[in-house]
Amino acid sequence: MRTDTPWGTLPARDHLLAAAVDAAGAPVLDVVVPVYNEEKDLEPCVLRLHDHLARTFPYSFRITVADNASTDRTPEVAAGLAAALPRVRSYRLEEKGRGRALRTVWSHSDAPVLAYMDVDLSTDLNALLPLVAPLISGHSDLAIGSRLSRGSRVVRGSKREFVSRAYNLVLRSSLAARFSDAQCGFKAIRRDVAERLLPMVEDSGWFFDTELLVLAERAGLRIHEVPVDWVDDPDSTVHIVRTATEDLKGVWRVGRALAVGALPLDRLARPFGDDPRDRALSGVPGGLARQLVGFCVVGALSTLVYLALYSLFRLGVGPQLANGGALLVSAVANTAANRRLTFGVRGRGGAVRHQAQGLVVFAIGLALTSGSLAALGAASGSPSHGTELAVLIAANLAATVLRFLLFRAWVFPDRVERADRSREAYEDGPAAAAPSAGHADDTHHELGNAR
């Protein structure tokens, strides 16, 4: 997994001024069409796309054919189109891979908005302007066409429909993805965002799209979704089983990298200035607002787990043993979740010490809840199960407040201090917050002959 993404401060997203871009001699939009052995469909695709953009697109544009080592007449067809149409160019790459083609062309493009679409033009071209408009206006960082949105109209076989929905279900359950359609061949990205993201994307094939979107979403970038009208191409050469297998391998690789904190996603979130978690609140210590939100979410989930375990243990043992066992299990999970999600501690370093300190906090919570149960038993003799739960909830609320204060001041004080330093450095200028790093050489292969 590449981590040598360049540092530096990205400016706030502004509306792209067409006059300024034209003055620089660059088109506003560069649409890439990656192809492999498409001598039959390439020319009608490019002609149709060129005609549509010339008639409807209000900004300057370019169409780039990215040939992925085709072995038929595709290179000659692409060269002929580039010679006949001044706003069309072609690149020849000597290795296959849609991700490799997109990374190569996007990395060398001078257009501020970069897009791509499949050569079969399964997506209605009327969605192209709505796709790139949020990027031109500065509203969003990336945009994707979605075949699974409520407003989409899709014509395709049941097999592909099942595979698509199953794949997106896997992404939601394993990588917590919130975008609805990872593999629709209709996407766009701002160039300044691509400069940051592309060096971090490892895949060079079909999983490239998914990896790009997952990293962007985890970094807090804004992804705009456009419902599309889409008609399946019956002559598609995509091998579903092989592609699905490679995608699942990619899901495992990216999920593992995210779990162990191997990706410097903080380099992407803060410079954009759009992450509400990074906004300083007057009178509030650094990081407190974000930590409170994370702690409350983790606390709510762990409380539900605790109550479920207590009810389960209560079937076989007394209230004190049931309370102790349920609290112990939920406390270990609570400490681990808060360590990762609330205070942003990644990796295994210090995990044992944090759990040991968490058990001390657990002992204090146990004393509060057990004392409450003892007081209830002394007062009412044989209270009902509902009464026990009500008392435990009240006692847990008090224990939760104390737990947060102890976590913040004792268990994870270094994370709190780091948040304070980061905020102070960011207020003085993000460039002072971290050393600069050289640009990654994110293309392993040079561009082929530009025609």
Side-chain angles (χ1 to χ4, degrees):
M1 185 70 66
R2 296 186 181 94
T3 58
D4 52 350
T5 179
W7 185 253
T9 305
L10 281 172
R13 286 170 295 163
D14 294 325
H15 195 296
L16 298 174
L17 300 179
V21 177
D22 290 340
V28 172
L29 173 67
D30 192 350
V31 183
V32 181
V33 182
V35 292
Y36 173 73
N37 288 349
E38 295 288 355
E39 61 180 4
K40 175 184 176 182
D41 295 332
L42 178 57
E43 183 171 351
C45 161
V46 171
L47 292 177
R48 180 183 165 196
L49 175 59
H50 186 277
D51 177 68
H52 176 83
L53 288 171
R55 288 186 299 102
T56 66
F57 194 67
Y59 302 94
S60 58
F61 67 88
R62 177 196 298 137
I63 300 172
T64 302
V65 179
D67 174 29
N68 288 280
S70 294
T71 58
D72 63 0
R73 292 186 58 257
T74 297
E76 289 80 4
V77 175
L81 290 167
L85 301 171
R87 288 187 282 191
V88 175
R89 67 175 181 174
S90 67
Y91 280 135
R92 166 74 176 181
L93 291 91
E94 298 302 329
E95 291 188 74
K96 291 178 60 177
R98 182 176 69 174
R100 176 179 289 108
L102 293 176
R103 179 188 292 112
T104 302
V105 177
W106 280 355
S107 297
H108 292 81
S109 179
D110 54 355
V113 177
L114 311 168
Y116 95 88
M117 61 180 56
D118 292 336
V119 69
D120 56 20
L121 294 185
S122 295
T123 304
D124 182 12
L125 291 178
N126 287 326
L128 182 55
L129 183 56
L131 181 80
V132 301
L135 309 187
I136 294 174
S137 69
H139 174 271
S140 300
D141 300 298
L142 299 92
I144 65 173
S146 175
R147 299 163 295 185
L148 303 179
S149 295
R150 182 171 299 176
S152 302
R153 294 185 296 178
V154 177
V155 178
R156 62 175 166 181
S158 57
K159 180 179 179 180
R160 286 183 177 271
E161 180 75 10
F162 172 78
V163 170
S164 180
R165 292 189 177 275
Y167 179 62
N168 282 279
L169 180 61
V170 169
L171 293 182
R172 288 176 178 271
S173 58
S174 61
L175 298 179
R178 296 191 299 273
F179 47 85
S180 64
D181 192 350
Q183 292 287 25
C184 180
F186 196 68
K187 294 182 176 67
I189 185 172
R190 286 176 65 103
R191 188 184 67 198
D192 53 1
V193 178
E195 290 173 350
R196 293 297 187 89
L197 276 176
L198 291 179
M200 300 176 66
V201 178
E202 182 173 320
D203 191 80
S204 60
W206 290 97
F207 187 69
F208 174 88
D209 301 51
T210 301
E211 188 170 355
L212 185 80
L213 292 174
V214 169
L215 299 185
E217 188 174 74
R218 289 297 186 97
L221 305 184
R222 181 176 294 154
I223 301 174
H224 178 73
E225 294 198 16
V226 178
V228 297
D229 297 342
W230 195 85
V231 179
D232 192 12
D233 178 15
D235 298 324
S236 174
T237 58
V238 177
H239 193 288
I240 295 179
V241 175
R242 182 170 61 245
T243 301
T245 302
E246 293 301 317
D247 285 346
L248 291 176
K249 291 180 180 177
V251 169
W252 167 259
R253 173 176 54 80
V254 172
R256 184 177 183 277
L258 292 171
V260 301
L263 292 170
L265 296 181
D266 55 323
R267 298 185 181 184
L268 298 169
R270 186 178 294 278
F272 287 85
D274 294 325
D275 190 345
R277 298 172 301 176
D278 293 327
R279 295 175 185 168
L281 303 177
S282 59
V284 178
L288 178 59
R290 174 170 49 182
Q291 291 168 4
L292 276 173
V293 172
F295 187 82
C296 287
V297 172
V298 172
L301 294 176
S302 62
T303 298
L304 292 177
V305 172
Y306 162 75
L307 293 175
L309 290 173
Y310 176 81
S311 298
L312 178 64
F313 294 161
R314 190 68 175 85
L315 297 176
V317 298
Q320 294 291 358
L321 286 178
N323 174 64
L327 198 58
L328 176 60
V329 175
S330 60
V332 172
N334 181 280
T335 299
N338 275 306
R339 180 178 185 269
R340 175 64 179 86
L341 301 176
T342 303
F343 296 96
V345 181
R346 298 175 179 177
R348 300 179 180 178
V352 175
R353 175 174 60 84
H354 293 152
Q355 281 292 351
Q357 291 173 308
L359 289 177
V360 175
V361 178
F362 150 75
I364 297 174
L366 178 63
L368 283 173
T369 54
S370 297
S372 300
L373 284 175
L376 176 65
S380 58
S382 300
S384 65
H385 182 64
T387 303
E388 287 181 351
L389 289 180
V391 170
L392 286 175
I393 290 173
N396 263 288
L397 288 176
T400 297
V401 175
L402 182 59
R403 186 184 304 120
F404 177 74
L405 295 176
L406 289 174
F407 273 176
R408 186 174 166 83
W410 181 48
V411 183
F412 305 106
D414 54 328
R415 307 303 297 184
V416 176
E417 294 172 1
R418 185 175 301 178
D420 291 336
R421 291 195 301 269
S422 297
R423 185 181 67 161
E424 292 171 359
Y426 183 65
E427 290 171 350
D428 293 336
S436 61
H439 284 265
D441 181 12
D442 52 69
T443 55
H444 297 287
H445 306 279
E446 294 295 328
L447 286 172
N449 296 328
R451 306 187 189 277

